[in-house]
Amino acid sequence: MNKIKRAFGQQDDEEGIVTENSSLIQISDATSLSWSTRIKCFAFCFIMGVLCSVLGALLLWRNIRIFAALYAVGAIFSLSSTLFLVGPAKQIKNMFKEKRIIATIIMLVSLVLTLCAAFWWKKNLLALIFCIIQYLAMTWYALSYIPFARDAVKKCFASCMG
């Protein structure tokens, strides 16, 4: 647990008291969940997100509606898992920063459109297209958290195309 705390900016001093190393401590102190509970909730939501997405992928050609629903629920679980690490206010603030706002909007809109296409409009191919758009937007969103990752991807695609 101490390694995980250090990875997110928390460190124990000699007496075992957590010292402030980042704004994560301030957010953590503002809620009633302990750090170990936060990690457990994060892990649960993340694993549920992966399981829903994988199960949806297995059902892709059997029932596109179930696939779309499981994929969307998996995306929601995966996104919500980080709420336990940084808190809802900071997560939303991070999602709508200038470098992530377009990916965030595309991801959320395509998530809603996936469900609409699958259940309301009953257009299987359209639901699949929105799932692909959602996946690409979520990937681009996730890459924004890794320094220089977007630039590397852009250069990789540029070298492949040119």
Side-chain angles (χ1 to χ4, degrees):
M1 189 60 69
N2 289 333
K3 288 181 182 180
I4 295 172
K5 286 182 180 180
R6 281 192 294 274
F8 286 99
Q10 294 183 356
Q11 295 178 344
D12 291 342
D13 62 12
E14 297 87 32
E15 299 171 357
I17 300 170
V18 176
T19 57
E20 186 169 331
N21 224 15
S22 72
S23 62
L24 186 61
I25 302 298
Q26 295 168 356
I27 295 166
S28 178
D29 289 344
T31 65
S32 61
L33 295 177
S34 71
W35 182 249
S36 63
T37 302
R38 288 171 172 272
I39 294 296
K40 290 173 188 171
C41 291
F42 163 78
F44 173 77
C45 285
F46 186 76
I47 290 168
M48 288 301 295
V50 170
L51 286 175
C52 285
S53 297
V54 168
L55 185 58
L58 293 173
L59 297 172
L60 174 61
W61 302 114
R62 289 191 139 208
N63 189 332
I64 193 78
R65 288 182 185 92
I66 293 174
F67 159 73
L70 285 172
Y71 189 81
V73 168
I76 292 168
F77 264 120
S78 296
L79 268 177
S80 65
S81 68
T82 58
L83 294 174
F84 291 103
L85 295 179
V86 297
K90 185 159 184 165
Q91 174 70 15
I92 291 171
K93 186 177 176 183
N94 284 339
M95 287 175 72
F96 290 96
K97 282 186 176 178
E98 184 179 342
K99 65 181 177 180
R100 295 184 190 102
I101 191 165
I102 294 172
T104 298
I105 290 170
I106 292 172
M107 179 177 53
L108 295 174
V109 168
S110 62
L111 191 144
V112 170
L113 291 174
T114 297
L115 294 172
C116 288
F119 294 107
W120 190 20
W121 304 326
K122 296 181 179 13
K123 302 289 183 187
N124 294 348
L125 182 60
L126 196 56
L128 182 61
I129 291 169
F130 287 134
C131 281
I132 293 168
I133 293 169
Q134 180 183 334
Y135 175 79
L136 293 173
M138 190 171 281
T139 301
W140 195 248
Y141 170 83
L143 287 173
S144 72
Y145 284 97
I146 304 168
F148 308 109
R150 285 181 165 184
D151 293 333
V153 170
K154 287 178 187 177
K155 287 179 183 177
C156 182
F157 275 103
S159 68
C160 290
M161 297 296 171

